[in-house]
Each structure stands twice: as structure tokens, then as C-alpha cells.
């Protein structure tokens, strides 16, 4: 489960009319919010306050999935704020309108008109921070309806705005949110890991503790999906160790749920039980607090209603209420614990079944790999046999022919002799070249990483573009033909950057995940529109790259935006 901090628009009134409502909203108490909304007579308040009340009523009904009531209220609020020219509050209304309409799956709704209004209002203010906050809220609205491309686009727009404000922490938030989109919507773990690492370095540098805790949680979730129990556990523990002020209980619940799930999947039943118990205790403490608040409110109402009754009768009724509530609370706690225990057993049974399926899949994959290894070994032996035959048999035969041909020298045909002798020498050299071809080239001798580093160094020496190479897990060599194909792919990508991107910097990331090889090539060039690159119209060398990757049963993802550079991610199974 990934965690993100979402911005919420609140149309605050200038007086104390809504103080109790704001406190209920801050505490997340739905019943108290409804009670405070119902206690305000909207026929007796000013237009601005009525528009504010309508906004909060729309937000409340939206939280209860009463979208028709929410939409009716937000449109009325929108109209009043527009008449009063309260543009700050109008921005918040458009954001809520966007969220409400975006959740209508059966409604063909185009959000572009609302987004255009939002952008125009933000730009009118000439307030860079307001524009950044507006773009963030637009991105979140797209994120809520699983529209990854638009969400990432608007999160990216906030980065230069944050930098212009010298607000590096907001830059880190943008990278963290982009990572969440890649993780939860695109299911692209490599991109999610890359942007989370970017966010982490910024948040650690500026000591943004709460955001850093969420970032560690999200990193742990990614490593959990990559089946790296040690790294996942490390980041979950780091997240849990950070102290912060806001939403402590809700955040801890997410952390403990994730940690108990991780340890259960990693067969660490001791720690799984430990964090499951912490989770139960924390939820129980929250329920107990809410119950105490509810009891106190009910008691106060009871006392006010029975002012004129005798003290004895009041105490008797009060004791009866306490007794009934105590029994109800005890029954609720027992039912809750029984329910959680049943769910836990069901989850364990499902995970056992999934584990058996994974074991069977692993056995089948191992058998398939053994077959492939046997085939490759046979191919290598056949190559070696051909090389030996060329060198030993055919090479020896050509030497003998040359020896016998020397006898022609005694005859009076020197020109024929010289010409024929030259042809035999050439044939002999070609035989030696074929025999030794299997050992030629930088890749065959020194490996893929050396070849890529040499290429990057040679290109960077021109001082027109700087190319960095970052590698992880390439201590051991790959199969020679695979290394050669990968080198050709990277070489073609760098050629495209030099020809078309007008870039000054490029970075080649190569990561060996043991079962797959991840290649990420990014540049700071002019970018392009990836949607224009189709299967039938692939320019700039993309077609040849795609064919090589398809031959290796891999996949390629292109992320690019005009004037924002290009990132190409390639995953190749090993």
C-alpha cells in the first residue's frame, strides 16, 4: 500500500461561524461534520458564508458517495463565489467539481474545460505557489481515476514551479507522487523505484520527516513486490522509526499492515505476529477513544434533556446508559477480534495456496532453463567444432596445396605462379580469420560494461554531449551473443540522442536483477510525443531496436515530453 499526502481545498470563512465544523473536519469525525452542517441556518447567513457552507456540504456528500447531491451543491457554491469574485475559493470549487465528475464511470465527462478554468484562474493570480498547488490537485484528480499519463504530466509541471520558488521539498513531493503513479497504476516498478530514489535524496537532505516516512514506506512496498524481503524490511523499519505530528495513528496503521503482510510473505512468522498485534492494539485504542467521545457526547445531551428531573432519576438513567454502552462496547470488541482472526486465517490459507502455485511455476521455469542451457551448450560445441575443422583440416589442406604449388616455380610461368600464390595466401588468411572470429572484438574479450564505458568515453570526448554510465550487479559476464545484442541496442539509442535530441547530457543505467536486466537511457534533450511512434511508423531507429528487444522477449517503455527530455526503459528477461 503506497502513501501520499493529498492537498485539500477549504473555503475558510472570515468569522467564527464554522469553527466547530473545521474542528470536526480536521478530526475526520463524519457524524460531527453532519451535525455541525445541520446546525447552521443557511437562510440567515451572508452570501459568502452560504457559498462556504455549500462547499463543505458538497465535500461531505462526496465522501459518502452521494455524488448527485455533491454536484448540485458545488455548482451553487461555484456560482456564488463567481458572482462575489472570490477567485481563491473558486479554485477550490473547481477542484472538487473535477473530483466529483471524474468518479462517474458511466458519465462521458471531458475534464479539459474544468481544467482550463482552473489554470486560467491560477494564472490570473500570478502566484507561482498557487499555480503549483492547482497543478498538483489536477494531477491528483487524474490519479484518482487511474489516468496515469495526465497525472504524471501535471506532476511534472509542478517541478519547475517549485524550483523557481526555491522549494526543493515540493520538488521531492512531485517525484514521490510520480513514483506512486508508476507503482499503483502503471505497475512499472523500475520507474517507481527510480523516482522514489530521486525523492528520497531530496527529502533526506531537507529533513522533511513525515514525507520521508511515506517515501520509505513506498520504497519498501516496491522492494516487497520485487521479492527483496531484506530491503523491504529495512525501509519499513525506517518509516516506522520516524516521528512526526500529523496523522500519526492513520500512518502507523498503514505501516503495521504493510509490515505484517511483508513478514508473512517472507515466512518470518514471529515478526508478522508482532506487527499484527501492534496493528490490533492501535486500532483498538482508536476505537476506544472514539467510543469514549461518543459516550461523553451522549451523556451531555442526556443531562441537558433531563435538567428538570430529580438527581436520583438522572443518575439511575445515566448508570443504565453506561451499562448498556459497556455491554455494547464489549460485544463490539469481541466481534471485531473474531472477525480479524477469521480474516487472518483466510489470508494465511490463500497465501499457502499461492505459495504452492509459485513453487510449481518455479519448477517449470527451472526445467525450461535447463533445456535452454543444453541447447546453448550444444551450439557452443558446434561452433568450436567448426572452428577446429577450419583451422586444423582446411588450414592444413591449404598449406599442403601451397607446398605442392611451389613446384610450379621450376616451370617457365612466373606470372601465373605469382598470381596463384597470392590467391592461396588470401584464402589461407580468410580461413584463419574465420577460425579466430569467435574470440575477436572488445565485447568478447572484455565484456558488455567495458564496451559501453569505452563508447561513452569516446563520445563524451567530443565535448558536445556528456554521457554517464551507472551499473548495478554486472560483476559477472552475460552470454556473449546477448551482450552483443544489448550493446547494439544501447548504441542505437545513443545514436538517436546524438542525431535527434539536441541533448547536452545523457545517462545509461544498467541493472542486473538476476532474473531480468533493466536498461534505462535518459537525456535532457528536446523530447517528443511518444504517441506518434506507432508500430507501423517507427522512426529514428526505434524499429530496429524494437525488433532486437522482441527477439529477446523483452519490453520497451518510452517516456517523453517536449522540452522535458526522454527516458527509455527496457526490461529483458535473463
Amino acid at each position: 500500500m503506497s502513501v501520499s499526502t493529498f492537498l485539500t481545498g477549504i473555503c475558510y470563512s472570515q468569522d467564527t461561524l464554522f469553527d466547530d465544523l473545521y474542528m470536526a473536519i480536521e478530526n475526520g469525525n463524519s457524524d460531527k461534520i453532519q451535525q455541525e452542517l445541520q446546525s447552521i441556518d443557511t437562510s440567515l447567513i451572508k452570501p459568502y458564508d452560504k457559498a462556504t457552507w455549500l462547499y463543505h456540504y458538497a465535500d461531505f456528500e462526496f465522501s459518502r458517495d452521494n455524488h448527485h447531491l455533491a454536484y448540485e451543491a458545488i455548482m451553487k457554491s461555484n456560482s456564488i463565489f463567481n458572482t462575489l469574485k472570490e477567485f481563491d475559493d473558486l479554485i477550490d470549487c473547481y477542484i472538487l467539481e473535477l473530483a466529483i465528475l471524474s468518479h462517474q464511470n458511466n458519465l462521458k465527462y471531458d475534464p479539459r474545460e474544468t481544467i482550463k478554468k482552473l489554470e486560467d484562474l491560477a494564472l490570473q493570480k500570478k502566484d507561482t505557489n498557487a499555480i503549483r498547488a492547482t497543478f498538483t490537485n489536477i494531477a491528483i484528480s487524474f490519479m484518482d481515476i487511474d489516468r496515469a499519463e495526465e497525472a504524471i504530466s501535471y506532476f511534472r509541471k509542478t517541478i519547475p514551479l517549485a524550483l523557481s520558488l526555491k522549494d526543493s521539498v515540493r520538488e521531492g513531493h512531485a517525484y514521490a507522487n510520480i513514483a506512486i503513479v508508476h507503482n499503483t497504476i502503471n505497475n512499472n516498478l523500475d520507474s517507481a523505484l527510480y523516482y522514489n530514489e530521486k525523492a528520497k535524496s531530496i527529502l533526506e537532505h531537507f529533513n522533511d520527516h513525515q514525507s520521508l516516512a511515506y517515501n520509505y514506506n513506498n520504497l519498501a512496498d516496491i522492494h516487497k513486490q520485487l521479492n527483496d524481503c531484506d530491503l523491504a524490511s529495512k525501509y519499513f523499519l525506517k518509516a516506522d522509526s520516524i516521528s512526526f505530528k500529523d496523522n500519526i495513528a492513520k500512518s502507523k496503521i498503514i505501516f503495521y499492515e504493510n509490515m505484517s503482510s511483508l513478514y508473512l510473505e517472507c515466512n518470518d512468522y514471529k515478526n508478522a505476529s508482532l506487527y499484527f498485534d501492534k496493528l490490533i492494539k492501535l486500532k483498538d485504542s482508536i476505537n476506544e477513544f472514539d467510543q469514549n467521545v461518543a459516550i461523553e457526547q451522549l451523556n451531555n445531551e442526556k443531562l441537558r434533556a433531563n435538567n428538570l428531573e430529580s438527581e436520583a432519576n438522572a443518575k439511575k438513567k445515566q448508570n443504565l446508559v453506561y451499562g448498556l454502552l459497556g455491554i455494547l462496547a464489549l460485544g463490539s470488541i469481541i466481534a471485531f477480534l473474531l472477525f480479524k482472526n477469521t480474516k487472518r486465517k483466510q489470508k494465511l490459507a490463500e497465501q499457502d495456496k499461492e505459495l504452492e502455485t509459485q513453487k510449481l511455476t518455479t519448477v517449470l521455469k527451472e526445467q525450461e532453463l535447463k533445456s535452454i542451457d543444453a541447447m546453448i551448450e550444444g551450439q557452443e560445441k558446434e561452433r568450436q567444432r567448426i572452428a577446429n575443422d577450419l583451422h586444423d583440416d582446411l588450414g592444413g589442406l591449404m598449406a599442403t596445396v601451397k607446398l605442392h604449388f611451389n613446384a610450379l616455380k621450376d616451370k617457365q610461368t612466373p606470372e601465373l605462379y605469382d598470381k596463384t600464390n597470392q590467391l592461396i595466401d588470401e584464402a589461407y588468411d580468410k580461413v584463419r580469420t574465420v577460425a579466430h572470429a569467435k574470440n575477436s572484438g572488445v565485447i568478447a574479450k572484455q565484456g558488455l560494461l567495458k564496451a559501453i564505458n569505452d563508447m561513452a568515453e569516446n563520445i563524451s570526448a567530443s565535448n558536445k554531449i556528456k554521457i554517464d554510465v551507472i551499473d548495478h550487479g554486472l560483476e559477472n559476464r552475460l552470454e556473449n551473443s546477448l551482450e552483443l545484442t544489448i550493446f547494439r541496442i544501447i548504441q542505437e539509442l545513443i545514436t538517436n540522442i546524438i542525431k535527434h535530441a539536441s541533448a547536452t547530457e545523457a545517462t545509461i543505467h544498467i541493472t542486473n536483477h538476476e532474473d531480468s536486466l533493466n536498461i534505462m537511457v535518459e537525456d535532457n534533450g528536446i523530447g517528443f510525443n511518444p504517441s506518434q511512434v506507432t508500430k507501423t511508423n517507427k522512426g529514428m531507429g526505434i524499429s530496429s531496436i524494437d525488433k532486437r528487444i522482441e527477439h529477446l522477449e523483452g519490453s520497451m517503455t518510452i517516456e517523453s515530453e517536449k522540452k522535458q527530455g526522454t527516458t527509455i526503459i527496457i526490461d529483458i528477461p535473463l
Side-chain angles (χ1 to χ4, degrees), residues 44-98:
L44 303 176
I45 59 180
K46 300 174 183 177
Y48 180 88
D49 291 332
K50 184 170 184 179
T52 301
W53 183 92
L54 285 165
Y55 172 88
H56 289 297
Y57 176 75
D59 193 31
F60 172 73
E61 294 297 345
F62 177 54
S63 70
R64 299 203 304 176
D65 291 331
N66 293 328
H67 295 170
H68 62 294
L69 296 177
Y71 181 73
E72 181 181 359
I74 200 61
M75 294 308 291
K76 290 179 180 178
S77 177
N78 188 323
S79 176
I80 297 172
F81 281 134
N82 193 31
T83 301
L84 297 174
K85 300 188 183 303
E86 295 290 346
F87 297 124
D88 288 350
D89 301 292
L90 197 57
I91 287 175
D92 292 332
C93 288
Y94 280 135
I95 290 170
L96 183 54
E97 176 189 342
L98 184 65

Side-chain angles (χ1 to χ4, degrees), residues 391-514:
H391 185 271
D392 298 336
D393 297 338
L394 186 56
L397 177 61
M398 293 302 296
T400 304
V401 170
K402 181 175 174 65
L403 181 64
H404 283 283
F405 184 72
N406 284 333
L408 291 174
K409 196 172 185 180
D410 297 334
K411 298 183 179 181
Q412 302 302 317
T413 54
E415 292 181 358
L416 175 61
Y417 169 81
D418 291 339
K419 181 62 177 177
T420 309
N421 189 48
Q422 180 184 354
L423 292 173
I424 292 174
D425 286 340
E426 289 179 5
Y428 187 76
D429 289 340
K430 288 181 179 179
V431 168
R432 288 178 57 82
T433 300
V434 172
H436 294 287
K438 64 187 181 66
N439 293 321
S440 64
V442 176
I443 292 178
K445 291 179 180 179
Q446 298 179 0
L448 173 65
L449 187 58
K450 171 64 175 173
I452 293 173
N453 278 317
D454 287 349
M455 177 188 68
E457 184 177 344
N458 291 335
I459 295 173
S460 298
S462 67
N463 294 324
K464 292 184 178 179
I465 180 170
K466 182 178 182 296
I467 300 178
D468 293 321
V469 180
I470 301 173
D471 67 283
H472 297 284
L474 289 180
E475 295 82 6
N476 298 322
R477 293 281 305 277
L478 302 174
E479 195 270 329
N480 191 59
S481 62
L482 176 59
E483 287 190 340
L484 182 59
T485 303
I486 292 170
F487 178 77
R488 296 300 183 209
I489 291 171
I490 294 175
Q491 188 180 49
E492 189 69 47
L493 290 174
I494 295 300
T495 300
N496 285 345
I497 292 173
I498 294 170
K499 286 183 178 179
H500 307 289
S502 299
T504 59
E505 294 180 359
T507 305
I508 303 170
H509 301 266
I510 311 176
T511 305
N512 189 342
H513 293 299
E514 294 186 0

Side-chain angles (χ1 to χ4, degrees), residues 533 535 537-548 556:
V533 181
K535 289 187 176 180
N537 181 24
K538 292 185 176 179
M540 300 182 297
I542 294 296
S543 179
S544 63
I545 295 171
D546 196 46
K547 287 180 181 178
R548 292 180 192 273
M556 176 172 66

Side-chain angles (χ1 to χ4, degrees), residues 10 14 19 30 45 65 102 112 130 161 166 175 177 181 183 185 198 208 222 232 248 293 369 409 449 456 521-522 544:
I10 297 178
Q14 301 300 315
D19 283 353
S30 180
I45 59 180
D65 291 331
S102 296
R112 285 178 293 185
L161 296 172
K166 296 182 180 180
Y175 286 132
N177 284 328
V181 176
N183 184 12
I185 301 176
K198 269 193 167 185
D208 185 0
I222 294 170
I248 299 174
V293 171
L369 288 173
K409 196 172 185 180
L449 187 58
V521 179
E522 52 185 355
S544 63

